[in-house]
Amino acid sequence: MICNLKHVDRMGHLLLGAAIAALSAAPALAQTVQAPVGEEAEADEDIVVSGYRRSLKKAIEMKRDTIGFSDSIIATDIADFPEQNLSEALQRVPGVTIERERGLGTRVNVRGLPSEFTFVSINKLATASGSGGRDVEFDIFASELIQSVTVQKSPVAADEEGGIAGSVLIRTARRFDNAGLRVVGSADGAYNSISEKIDPNFSFLASNTFGDFGVLVSVAKQQRTNRTDSNSGINFRPIARWTDRTGTVYRNQAIAVLQRDAGITFTNADKNKIVFLDKVGDRVYQNDQDRLGLSGSVQYKPSDNFNIAFDAFLGSYDTTEDEYDAAGYAASSNSTLETIHDFDATTLADSGIVVLRDVSYTNTQHEFLSKEYINETDYRQFGSEMNWSTGNWKINALGGYSGAKKTLDTSNLKHVAYAPSRTRYTENGGETIPSANPRTIDMYNAPNAYLFEAYETFREQIKDDKYAAQIDLSYNFETSLLKRFNFGGRYTNKSNEREYGEEKIQGPTRGSSAYVNVRKLGDSPLENVTDITGGKSYQARDLGWAQVSNAYARDFFRPDGFVTPFSDANYYKVQEETIAGYAMVDLEFTVAVPVFVNFGGRYLRTSIHSEGFQQVQNPNGSIGLTPAPVSSDGRYEKFLPSVNAHAELTDSLFLRAAASQTLIRPALTDLAYKRIASIGNFRYTDGNPGLEPTLADQWEVGVEKYLPRGGILAASYFWKKIKGVVQSQLTGVVPGVTVYNANGSVNGVYDFDVYQPVNAEGSYKVSGVEVNAVIPFGMFADWADGFGINANATFLDSSLTGGSDLGIDTSPIGLADKTYNATVFFDKGPLSLRVSYNRKGAYVERIERNMYPVYRDAYGQFDVAASYQVTRNFRVELQGINVGNAKTTGYTMDPSFPTTYEASGSRISLGVRGQF
């Protein structure tokens, strides 16, 4: 799937060369139907556009005025992003892909790198989302409250550090963005094709000026009901599951059946190369979301030389997801092979792997799971920004706070039945059916065969707080070479605190196990799974089954007043303080053509304080904890240089270049100083507050041709060398640790190895090509005015390979080597129409058991949007998400071994917008 790095390097240079040649020739083509370049600009000013074309034009103007590489999306009015949330709006930006979870965009990937490699800010303040890590969960943000989003791919010294992939800069609306009294409101109903429910959505914005003061308030309220049906979870499991169990009946029978039915004489070298289907499951997910967002701004602007703004951005994001899961685990501890009906020794022969495609097992573990996930996230941000120009000086100052609190309450009602069954691959996934063994069961219709095991509960709470203050000063020179000198400093203080706990309920009261292996699945009221969730019949395949509803499980199994207790073993807190200073210079000169250069450097010093409990062994052999959290500190200093430049080859043809060093800070879970003890393995696993950031040296070169009527053709080639990637390694030894037996006697005194995350030696490279085209067809003929296309594509490569212990060549986890976006639009007069297609290429989702790469298939989705301006003040809108009803699919190593088949349906909304 991933081509050779040298090949992509050559491809990048060839594409750039071809793009430069094509763009250089573009003026001649344009002049056959348009006036000369100087007159084009003048004529273009008389063309009044609105709606989608206006958004595109403003975004292109922002790109043109930026010294480095960036792309933007603009919401000219409230609710102009026709997406389910902000991440889905960002997928239209060149180089940006998104991660989807059951039909909904969640996290953002820039240039194929992991989501935690992207820095996110709102109104110049680093964003808290409660994710517990560096990445931001974009699904919590209502896109209706956002004025613009810029994806900045080449930093300048004044930019806050933290994004190797790039920075997503979000800006909410302010009063002086538009003149006069303004009131905008929208309402719509959205229908999901599987859940068959209609969800209401509302948004409202009002702003006005009172002399030198301006006030803006906006609110967005959204509900979303979505159902996803999934035949998934089918994994490779090595035959070592049984053959490693020396001297047991399970090992001997597995070896005998391999010889009898497949003609395979087993040797120990085969134990990870002969695989079977570990788990086959059918699931229904019902996701209900309730999102509320509020924003406000008060702005004081007595003159063009001074203004100060106070912003607030508040919201809540509450979700309840019910999962109903029926699955068969062929690899249960007391099972083994019974009959091999079909096997494949050819498809993966290059890797030496034999796949047992269709097998009967002696004692499959069948499970019925009713799971409930309740997530409550509250976020808030308060900030102030001042801009003051006096003489040649310009002063910008800002400060603020961003915080989020996330609570997850999860439960899992588990019933288990052991019986012989047959598991095999199907066209889209897998299935477990009755076998020829007389003790077999129909796993979907045997409620009295399933015995209660546990009602498992989990609770997690994350507090994420960020404070920041910055002062920036610039002096404008009235010279032909030196144009501006910028310098300033920034202070940030971040903290992240996590608490977690779990408890099993196995009887009518805490501590009781009266239900275990006594209470049956059929003792609880059962309903067809799609009757519980509502909507259409199960969409993944022709199947139906009955389960216990989560509403009943919560009411029956939880004692009154029950709250899952937090455990000190899972507690950590990380505090991070950074002081940064920077300076940069803007130059402007002419070398045959005008050239603009920005260069500078950023120095930062980061201090880390982390604390967590340490696991120890008690004298009675049990695992205990230190009486109080143990803390540790870390510190690092870095200097990050950067240079950005562009040359105006003509009034409409730009050549850009950029080079810099940037970083991404370690994951908070790696910095968390807590210790996990593995007594049997004589090992401690610690966090490491002394970690340094992962660094990237990067450069990019590109060419841009600005077309009449708000169009652009652009291409760029980028290269990154990433070093200091965090990996777990042996870092030391704790000598003389006393190990106790369960009866309290001393087992012995041993040296314990200490493993910690460290910055690994070496580096890897990521390179790629981005192409982007916004073409208004009116530039070719007047009759085509209003029609156009907005398209982009990104091609990536990396020298890093996935970590398969079997040495199977894979691409890096999460890296899709090809992504495409295209929108064909008509936008003129009262009518606006858009058809968009977004496609992300196949990528490695995970390395199963550190051995077998599991791929997510290439995924493409069609979205549509249409609106009609009925009167000057009212517009009717129709939007469709995934109108082609695309399915999410995946496979292990080869598409003939499917792992995932998910149907999330399409979403159609109809609404009205009023503006006064």
Side-chain angles (χ1 to χ4, degrees):
M1 181 185 71
I2 302 292
C3 46
N4 182 272
L5 180 64
K6 293 182 178 179
H7 172 71
V8 170
D9 285 344
R10 291 196 298 270
M11 180 180 70
H13 292 111
L14 288 172
L15 277 172
L16 276 178
I20 292 171
L23 296 178
S24 299
L29 173 64
Q31 287 169 10
T32 62
V33 293
Q34 297 288 337
V37 170
E39 296 178 21
E40 285 175 356
E42 183 177 347
D44 208 29
E45 292 175 358
D46 297 329
I47 299 172
V48 178
V49 296
S50 60
Y52 182 67
R53 281 201 293 165
R54 180 185 172 196
S55 295
L56 287 177
K57 188 174 181 180
K58 291 179 71 173
I60 291 171
E61 289 171 356
M62 290 176 65
K63 181 179 181 72
R64 181 172 185 153
D65 293 340
T66 302
I67 188 69
F69 289 88
S70 70
D71 291 281
S72 302
I73 51 176
I74 307 295
T76 54
D77 291 312
I78 189 171
D80 264 6
F81 289 126
E83 319 292 350
Q84 298 180 93
N85 59 43
L86 188 55
S87 70
E88 297 198 347
L90 281 167
Q91 69 181 320
R92 314 297 179 194
V93 176
V96 174
T97 56
I98 64 174
E99 297 177 10
R100 294 182 181 274
E101 292 184 8
R102 293 182 279 283
L104 180 69
T106 53
R107 292 176 172 86
V108 168
N109 306 109
V110 178
R111 290 181 165 171
L113 293 169
S115 57
E116 59 267 24
F117 279 31
T118 300
F119 176 77
V120 182
S121 67
I122 297 178
N123 296 333
K124 302 181 183 180
L125 297 174
T127 306
S129 76
S131 68
R134 301 283 183 184
D135 55 335
V136 172
E137 296 173 337
F138 281 83
D139 51 344
I140 72 173
F141 299 122
S143 60
E144 294 89 343
L145 303 183
I146 308 302
Q147 180 69 15
S148 67
V149 183
T150 295
V151 179
Q152 187 166 299
K153 300 166 185 176
S154 62
V156 298
D159 295 328
E160 185 174 359
E161 69 286 345
I164 284 178
S167 296
V168 176
L169 313 177
I170 302 169
R171 183 176 177 272
T172 59
R174 286 178 177 167
R175 175 59 204 97
F176 286 101
D177 291 338
N178 295 280
L181 172 65
R182 187 165 177 255
V183 178
V184 182
S186 68
D188 69 74
Y191 171 83
N192 176 260
S193 64
I194 298 181
S195 69
E196 297 185 316
K197 294 183 179 179
I198 298 177
D199 302 316
N201 302 300
F202 306 95
S203 62
F204 176 80
L205 178 148
S207 64
N208 200 3
T209 53
F210 307 92
D212 297 332
F213 286 91
V215 178
L216 179 147
V217 293
S218 62
V219 60
K221 181 76 165 64
Q222 181 188 61
Q223 289 181 288
R224 179 184 183 273
T225 303
N226 196 75
R227 207 185 88 195
T228 296
D229 295 349
S230 172
N231 175 231
S232 61
I234 302 97
N235 307 317
F236 280 3
R237 183 71 177 256
I239 204 71
R241 171 63 172 166
W242 297 304
T243 59
D244 276 358
R245 302 173 69 178
T246 305
T248 69
V249 65
Y250 308 109
R251 167 187 167 85
N252 295 338
Q253 181 163 333
I255 292 173
V257 173
L258 283 171
Q259 178 68 55
R260 183 194 70 197
D261 295 342
I264 298 173
T265 301
F266 176 81
T267 66
N268 197 53
D270 300 323
K271 69 177 186 177
N272 293 319
K273 295 296 185 74
I274 301 172
V275 299
F276 60 95
L277 281 69
D278 171 24
K279 175 184 177 182
V280 174
D282 289 281
R283 296 169 186 82
V284 173
Y285 301 92
Q286 176 76 10
N287 187 281
D288 294 296
Q289 301 176 0
D290 193 340
R291 181 191 293 113
L292 174 65
L294 304 113
S295 70
S297 178
V298 177
Q299 198 170 3
Y300 175 61
K301 189 176 181 180
S303 70
D304 291 338
N305 295 326
F306 181 86
N307 77 82
I308 185 169
F310 300 91
D311 302 309
F313 192 47
L314 309 170
S316 65
Y317 179 62
D318 300 334
T319 67
T320 298
E321 181 170 270
D322 295 303
E323 175 186 341
Y324 297 101
D325 186 349
Y329 297 80
S332 68
S333 59
N334 58 0
S335 182
T336 191
L337 305 181
E338 188 170 73
T339 304
I340 300 172
H341 304 282
D342 185 28
F343 68 96
D344 184 340
T346 58
T347 304
L348 303 179
D350 289 345
S351 300
I353 294 177
V354 177
V355 182
L356 308 183
R357 296 191 61 96
D358 184 351
V359 179
S360 291
Y361 301 91
T362 61
N363 211 29
T364 297
Q365 177 179 325
H366 307 86
E367 289 187 355
F368 267 36
L369 308 176
S370 297
K371 299 181 180 180
E372 183 181 40
Y373 307 86
I374 299 175
N375 169 16
E376 297 179 354
T377 301
D378 294 309
Y379 65 91
R380 61 273 180 203
Q381 178 170 311
F382 305 98
S384 178
E385 182 177 8
M386 181 198 73
N387 288 282
W388 180 25
S389 298
T390 174
N392 290 354
W393 285 95
K394 183 176 181 180
I395 302 170
N396 172 269
L398 64 91
Y401 161 79
S402 178
K405 181 179 179 181
K406 181 176 183 177
T407 302
L408 297 101
D409 182 355
T410 303
S411 61
N412 177 26
L413 175 61
K414 186 175 182 180
H415 289 83
V416 179
Y418 289 92
S421 284
R422 179 178 177 179
T423 298
R424 62 190 180 188
Y425 277 107
T426 62
E427 181 180 356
N428 295 319
E431 64 178 359
T432 297
I433 60 174
S435 70
N437 191 306
R439 295 188 299 108
T440 192
I441 63 171
D442 177 356
M443 63 170 284
Y444 296 96
N445 190 29
N448 290 327
Y450 287 82
L451 296 177
F452 174 89
E453 184 172 294
Y455 180 74
E456 302 169 334
T457 69
F458 312 86
R459 188 163 66 105
E460 182 178 16
Q461 183 172 279
I462 298 170
K463 295 179 181 178
D464 187 9
D465 297 293
K466 296 178 170 67
Y467 298 86
Q470 176 172 299
I471 182 73
D472 178 90
L473 298 96
S474 64
Y475 185 84
N476 294 316
F477 294 91
E478 298 175 358
T479 65
S480 58
L481 176 63
L482 181 60
K483 290 299 181 182
R484 184 179 299 105
F485 175 64
N486 258 85
F487 64 96
R490 188 179 184 96
Y491 170 80
T492 59
N493 190 310
K494 305 174 184 178
S495 69
N496 191 282
E497 185 177 20
R498 177 184 186 261
E499 294 181 278
Y500 175 84
E502 56 187 63
E503 183 174 338
K504 287 184 178 181
I505 298 173
Q506 296 183 311
T509 59
R510 268 178 155 159
S512 169
S513 59
Y515 294 156
V516 178
N517 294 326
V518 174
R519 186 179 176 88
K520 298 177 181 178
L521 177 66
D523 292 336
S524 297
L526 303 178
E527 299 177 68
N528 186 284
V529 65
T530 54
D531 289 339
I532 297 173
T533 60
K536 294 181 177 178
S537 59
Y538 185 58
Q539 298 291 293
R541 58 197 186 106
D542 187 12
L543 181 69
W545 70 96
Q547 290 205 211
V548 181
S549 74
N550 283 320
Y552 175 85
R554 174 175 283 268
D555 180 65
F556 181 86
F557 289 102
R558 293 193 179 214
D560 290 341
F562 173 82
V563 176
T564 308
F566 289 133
S567 168
D568 287 343
N570 298 294
Y571 168 83
Y572 70 74
K573 184 175 183 179
V574 179
Q575 293 178 291
E576 184 179 80
E577 184 179 63
T578 298
I579 298 175
Y582 59 86
M584 60 186 189
V585 173
D586 290 334
L587 304 177
E588 183 179 338
F589 53 89
T590 300
V591 182
V593 297
V595 178
F596 303 84
V597 179
N598 170 279
F599 69 88
R602 184 179 186 88
Y603 166 82
L604 60 97
R605 185 184 70 201
T606 298
S607 301
I608 297 164
H609 176 83
S610 177
E611 61 182 45
F613 288 88
Q614 309 281 291
Q615 285 189 349
V616 296
Q617 190 182 31
N618 297 320
N620 65 1
S622 64
I623 298 296
L625 298 171
T626 55
V630 178
S631 64
S632 181
D633 297 324
R635 176 172 169 170
Y636 55 83
E637 299 179 12
K638 299 294 176 185
F639 178 75
L640 305 175
S642 63
V643 58
N644 291 267
H646 72 259
E648 296 184 2
L649 305 181
T650 70
D651 286 347
S652 58
L653 185 64
F654 283 30
L655 181 67
R656 290 190 193 271
S660 63
Q661 186 176 75
T662 185
L663 59 80
I664 179 69
R665 291 187 165 86
L668 296 172
T669 50
D670 291 331
L671 293 172
Y673 194 62
K674 61 177 185 175
R675 168 168 289 176
I676 298 174
S678 179
I679 303 301
N681 295 319
F682 310 114
R683 172 189 286 193
Y684 291 133
T685 302
D686 293 356
N688 185 4
L691 282 172
E692 295 209 350
T694 298
L695 296 171
D697 300 324
Q698 58 187 25
W699 60 266
E700 184 168 3
V701 60
V703 62
E704 300 160 3
K705 171 64 181 178
Y706 292 89
L707 305 176
R709 305 195 184 195
I712 187 174
L713 295 175
S716 69
Y717 175 78
F718 61 88
W719 179 93
K720 298 175 185 285
K721 182 179 180 181
I722 300 174
K723 49 195 175 182
V725 175
V726 175
Q727 296 179 349
S728 179
Q729 291 183 8
L730 176 66
T731 59
V733 175
V734 178
V737 179
T738 301
V739 175
Y740 298 92
N741 295 314
N743 61 7
S745 62
V746 175
N747 177 283
V749 179
Y750 303 92
D751 293 344
F752 272 50
D753 293 332
V754 178
Y755 282 80
Q756 289 180 287
V758 299
N759 297 103
E761 299 292 333
S763 63
Y764 70 95
K765 299 173 184 177
V766 176
S767 63
V769 174
E770 284 182 6
V771 291
N772 182 28
V774 178
I775 304 175
F777 294 162
M779 64 179 284
F780 303 112
D782 289 341
W783 63 265
D785 184 43
F787 289 96
I789 186 170
N790 175 16
N792 59 76
T794 304
F795 308 92
L796 297 171
D797 188 32
S798 171
S799 64
L800 182 71
T801 58
S804 168
D805 291 347
L806 295 181
I808 298 168
D809 188 26
T810 69
S811 60
I813 292 174
L815 177 64
D817 59 343
K818 299 180 183 68
T819 59
Y820 309 92
N821 289 286
T823 298
V824 178
F825 62 87
F826 175 79
D827 192 39
K828 186 177 182 180
L831 182 63
S832 179
L833 300 170
R834 276 173 283 164
V835 178
S836 300
Y837 181 71
N838 171 266
R839 183 175 178 85
K840 181 177 182 178
Y843 62 92
V844 177
E845 189 173 21
R846 67 183 186 278
I847 308 294
E848 179 68 27
R849 305 184 188 280
N850 296 322
M851 292 185 282
Y852 317 106
V854 179
Y855 287 83
R856 179 68 64 94
D857 262 317
Y859 178 86
Q861 175 176 304
F862 280 98
D863 304 325
V864 299
S867 66
Y868 188 82
Q869 195 76 34
V870 181
T871 70
R872 178 182 179 87
N873 301 113
F874 288 97
R875 186 162 84 226
V876 177
E877 299 177 325
L878 176 67
Q879 297 175 2
I881 304 295
N882 190 25
V883 293
N885 199 23
K887 310 295 191 299
T888 300
T889 58
Y891 57 89
T892 305
M893 298 184 65
D894 187 272
S896 63
F897 307 116
T899 60
T900 301
Y901 182 82
E902 289 186 354
S904 296
S906 57
R907 187 171 176 85
I908 308 298
S909 66
L910 177 65
V912 62
R913 179 183 306 178
Q915 178 169 323
F916 304 90

